[in-house]
Amino acid sequence: MASQDKPVALVTGANKGIGLQIAKDLAAHGFTVLVGSRNLELGETAAQSVGADARALQLDVTDQASIAAAAERIRSEFGRLDVLVNNAAISHTRRPPGMSVEEYAKSTLPSNVSLDELRAVFETNVFGVVAVTQAMLPLLREAPAARIVNVSSGAGSLTMNAAPDFPWRSIYGPVYPASKTALNAMTLAMAIELESTGIKVNAVSPGFAATALNNFAGTLTVQQAAREPVRLALLGPDGPTGTFSGENGPIPW
């Protein structure tokens, strides 16, 4: 059993990519890290790569029973949770291999998007975050200064996408980008509710990192992408709540 004086962090979707790097960085900062993974075997392998202070935790953010079991295990083993990083996300369920982001964007316009595709992505990226946060809140309230970090994306910024000269404006669509807009709204709602408790809730854009989410087309390393989420997870008592930021500073909502 981990020593109870070590802070405990849960990172969802942590078996690969940015989530795995966040888990490694938090372990390096002295946390016992719970590596959330839909597939337990992949989670076990990832936890081994993080080190002795990591534990795999089966967690499918779209499955209420899985979420409840994860919360129960954290309660029985640790009694509290200091940091929750809601990192699990999907960008699509039906983009064929080799289809470009631009082609996929054309096939998921508001006029032609499949509602099943829309629901599936929102189920993970929006409802899953709310479901996990609700289940973990009693444990976060047991911690002296809990932090919630929601991993969002600059693609979700309404302000930036509304600007006629924004380079990615043409691919702002109802699936992944709008799911991150909705996640930002949930972040702000959570921050406002929890303001008086000292639990800080912030949204972060890790930047365009090379991960499986974008077929490794990104330009940042996962190490660079994890820096801002980790900074927000480690915020002190004077740190902000209800913000949206990237490594270069605040991002407009």
Side-chain angles (χ1 to χ4, degrees), residues 231-251:
R231 184 185 75 80
L232 291 167
L234 301 174
L235 282 176
D238 298 331
T241 190
T243 67
F244 181 28
S245 62
E247 205 180 9
N248 298 324
I251 298 174

Side-chain angles (χ1 to χ4, degrees), residues 82-96:
D82 296 271
V83 166
L84 169 60
V85 181
N86 285 307
N87 167 74
I90 58 173
S91 56
H92 60 88
T93 65
R94 53 173 70 185
R95 190 169 92 209

Side-chain angles (χ1 to χ4, degrees), residues 116-240:
D116 288 342
E117 176 79 341
L118 193 57
R119 286 191 185 102
V121 172
F122 269 64
E123 198 62 55
T124 294
N125 296 5
V126 185
F127 301 122
V129 171
V130 176
V132 170
T133 303
Q134 285 183 350
M136 300 302 164
L137 254 178
L139 292 160
L140 290 159
R141 290 181 192 277
E142 296 290 334
R147 304 288 177 254
I148 300 171
V149 179
N150 292 336
V151 179
S152 184
S153 167
S157 167
L158 290 176
T159 302
M160 293 199 302
N161 282 292
D165 57 351
F166 184 58
W168 299 104
R169 186 174 200 251
S170 64
I171 60 169
Y172 183 77
V175 185
Y176 180 77
S179 77
K180 293 302 191 178
T181 307
L183 174 62
N184 287 351
M186 299 303 158
T187 303
L188 193 54
M190 290 171 188
I192 290 167
E193 181 190 1
L194 295 171
E195 220 153 18
S196 63
T197 68
I199 298 175
K200 297 180 190 295
V201 191
N202 292 287
V204 59
S205 169
F208 192 40
T211 67
L213 194 75
N214 54 43
N215 294 331
F216 301 94
T219 49
L220 298 176
T221 64
V222 287
Q223 286 83 358
Q224 288 169 307
R227 283 201 291 242
E228 183 67 1
V230 170
R231 184 185 75 80
L232 291 167
L234 301 174
L235 282 176
D238 298 331

Side-chain angles (χ1 to χ4, degrees), residues 52-77:
D53 287 318
R55 312 262 183 291
L57 187 66
Q58 197 281 323
L59 181 55
D60 178 343
V61 305
T62 66
D63 179 344
Q64 204 59 50
S66 160
I67 295 170
E72 195 40 58
R73 186 181 152 197
I74 297 170
R75 176 165 296 287
S76 64
E77 287 190 28

